[in-house]
Amino acid sequence: MASDKKYEPTNPTLKWVEDRLPIMGFVYNAVGAGYHVPRNLNYWWNFGVLAGFMMVVQIVTGIVLAMHYIPDITVAFDSVQHIRRDVNYGWLLQAVHANGASMFFVVVYIHILRGFYFGSYKSPREILWFLGIIIYLIMMATGFMGYVLPWGQMSFWGATVITNFFSAFDFIPFIGDGLVEWLWGGFAVDQPTLNRFYSLHYLLPFVLVGVVILHIWALHIPGSTNPLGIDVKGPQDKIPFHPYYTAKDAFGLGVFIIFFSVFIFYIPDFLGHPDNYIEADRLKTPAHIVPEWYYLPFYAILRAIPDKLLGIVAMFGSIMILFAMPWLDGARIRSMRFRPLSKFFFWIFVVNGLFLGYLGQISPDDILAFGWTALTYAQIATFYYFAYFLVVMPLVSRMETTKPVPTSIAAAVLDANKKG
Amino acid sequence: MTTHDDVVEERRNFLYIATGAAGAVAAGAAVWPLIDQMNPSKDVLALSSIEVDISVIAEGESAVFLWRKNPVFIRHRTAEEIARAIADDNAEDLIDPQTDAERIQKPEWLVMSGVCTHFGCIPLDQQGDFGGWFCPCHGSHYDISGRIRKGPAPSNLPVMDYVFLDDSTIKIG
């Protein structure tokens, strides 16, 4: 959205700077009063800012933790305990960083589902959506490598299992056979593996920053969507980002920080796994390997398919399919507020995703309701996951009878005010 | 008829292609060290063989040794286990068919990798539906010859190169 008002400093010094490097105008137009946004954004629109906040928190705490952590398999585990016990405020920094990863995923998952519900992936925001998926993939890689660094049992065996995913590609000529050894730098997860994961864990967040800048740039071309999903028709539909949404985001941030603080100060190890407080032992696989919670639905999909290669393909496919959403969904209306049937299937999709997460952390042989195994349920849930994208979305979006859409954002807002 | 301009253009095109090709080769040569540095280094590759005293493993027991940072299972099989392994040579549920004879040098000594061929966990001894090994990670069952019988693993536990130096010592790798 082009800025409606140009940034013109009155202070001569600021003007002198602005004439030579228009950086203040850039900020003003990006997140200031120069950026005009639909007037009807609700709290679901806070989560992009919260994700940006978590990225900064992770980078800042990560940089200082790197001043104490040692990526050497003989002392890596101890160095994390040293941070937690001996380093000044190490207990806080480590808790913020470890729980921060989970918080980052919480807000990003809500941000993604916000996009699902309000049709944010639809034209003209397809590239914005792609960049978001790339951000998510980088987050998964970064989070995985970060989890390996404390060199506990789950770190080691999680790393072993996940790097072995790539052994499923051993049919590829020339590179297939040596691919996993190339990742490891040896014949098993070992010192070279830890060292390179540390290097990449430090690097990838900065790649992430780059993609986030592209994501925000792509956002500013069409501007934000809104809960009604209708296009902005004129200035009466918009308000300046500052002070309106800076204030709204600040309030949301405050609420979020309270939630975050509960984990940091009261249950810092709640999201961790007890086995990861045992140092890595390459001769003893834990009885039950589970990944961090934010990977669980995909882990359940992987285990649902009894074939190694197809399991891997399904797992990667479950994320890659997001790239096709702008075309799988053929509805002319973005927001599910006016698409009742789509809304119904969306909420089933959400519950199904949570259920897959639950299935990912229990044993596939566990018996659940009706005497069926967790594996059977995982297969049903995996089927719905893919059917949602490949059957439900293409058909329902093109066939359902939608509700009447308001003529403009301003009209809808003023109507609501009258009724209210 | 070939004019002077045509000749110049032809020579120029040749120079473009030659320069581009040389540049591509140079870029590849510059990138290769960046990729190859991640492959196992020489000291890692040098840890290629170990000698193991197997006289300490009683009949009906298994031992685990580390070879190239990976577990190696050595099982001193009983006569009953050998008979069971051979009896299963033609079982219909063999996912990666192999006879027991192809997997051993001396029937009482089963020597093989202890890394599950699914995602690399270490299977547990004397567990699972076939009295062999069971991988707790994703539920692969191996029989008493280390052959995959049930579960997601695609192939049998691999048998690596080894030699009997004498009756009580084997050299792995």
Side-chain angles (χ1 to χ4, degrees), chain A residues 192-256:
Chain A
T193 326
L194 177 66
N195 237 142
R196 64 190 55 181
F197 278 16
Y198 181 55
S199 167
L200 295 173
H201 183 71
Y202 206 122
L203 165 73
L204 286 179
F206 296 97
V207 176
L208 191 69
V209 170
V211 183
V212 165
I213 289 171
L214 295 180
H215 189 66
I216 297 171
W217 186 7
L219 169 69
H220 280 59
I221 304 301
S224 296
T225 53
N226 64 82
L228 297 172
I230 53 180
D231 287 328
V232 165
K233 296 209 170 64
Q236 73 281 5
D237 289 344
K238 297 187 291 182
I239 46 175
F241 191 83
H242 178 75
Y244 295 100
Y245 288 115
T246 43
K248 188 161 184 156
D249 284 335
F251 175 73
L253 183 62
V255 173
F256 171 68

Side-chain angles (χ1 to χ4, degrees), chain B residues 10-84:
Chain B
E10 219 172 84
R11 288 174 61 172
R12 188 164 292 163
N13 285 340
F14 172 76
L15 285 173
Y16 281 149
I17 292 167
T19 312
V25 169
V31 168
W32 177 244
L34 297 175
I35 295 171
D36 192 41
Q37 55 81 23
M38 281 177 65
N39 274 315
S41 57
K42 297 202 173 49
D43 58 329
V44 171
L45 293 171
L47 296 169
S48 54
S49 65
I50 55 167
E51 286 181 22
V52 175
D53 177 10
I54 55 173
S55 62
V56 296
I57 309 170
E59 190 172 308
E61 279 186 2
S62 300
V64 182
F65 299 91
L66 267 186
W67 173 61
R68 301 200 307 191
K69 299 283 180 104
N70 280 306
V72 172
F73 290 160
I74 301 182
R75 180 157 185 86
H76 192 169
R77 299 193 295 186
T78 64
E80 180 272 326
E81 287 171 345
I82 296 166
R84 192 146 49 87

Side-chain angles (χ1 to χ4, degrees), chain B residues 34-169:
Chain B
L34 297 175
I35 295 171
D36 192 41
Q37 55 81 23
M38 281 177 65
N39 274 315
S41 57
K42 297 202 173 49
D43 58 329
V44 171
L45 293 171
L47 296 169
S48 54
S49 65
I50 55 167
E51 286 181 22
V52 175
D53 177 10
I54 55 173
S55 62
V56 296
I57 309 170
E59 190 172 308
E61 279 186 2
S62 300
V64 182
F65 299 91
L66 267 186
W67 173 61
R68 301 200 307 191
K69 299 283 180 104
N70 280 306
V72 172
F73 290 160
I74 301 182
R75 180 157 185 86
H76 192 169
R77 299 193 295 186
T78 64
E80 180 272 326
E81 287 171 345
I82 296 166
R84 192 146 49 87
I86 293 169
D88 280 353
D89 275 353
N90 296 310
E92 283 184 3
D93 57 3
L94 287 175
I95 294 165
D96 177 15
Q98 251 187 331
T99 62
D100 188 56
E102 291 174 273
R103 297 180 52 78
I104 43 106
Q105 292 181 15
K106 295 182 179 179
E108 63 272 32
W109 293 106
L110 176 64
V111 181
M112 61 185 182
S113 160
V115 178
C116 181
T117 57
H118 187 227
F119 291 136
C121 298
I122 303 177
L124 302 169
D125 192 10
Q126 291 181 299
Q127 288 194 32
D129 296 355
F130 300 88
W133 286 263
F134 170 72
C135 184
C137 289
H138 305 90
S140 293
H141 299 255
Y142 297 91
D143 68 13
I144 196 63
S145 188
R147 294 172 294 206
I148 178 69
R149 300 293 288 273
K150 185 180 158 193
S155 51
N156 301 335
L157 291 174
V159 177
M160 69 286 292
D161 290 335
Y162 66 95
V163 285
F164 280 87
L165 297 178
D166 54 51
D167 278 349
S168 65
T169 316

Side-chain angles (χ1 to χ4, degrees), chain A residues 10 21 52 65 73 81 127 139 141 145 171 205 242 282 314 382 412 417:
Chain A
T10 45
L21 178 71
L65 287 170
I73 57 170
Q81 297 312 315
I127 291 188
M139 281 177 64
M145 290 195 254
F171 60 89
H242 178 75
R282 65 174 68 253
T382 300
N417 284 353

Side-chain angles (χ1 to χ4, degrees), chain A residues 21-38:
Chain A
L21 178 71
I23 192 164
M24 290 168 286
F26 179 76
V27 172
Y28 177 87
N29 289 325
V31 291
Y35 179 44
H36 287 240
V37 190

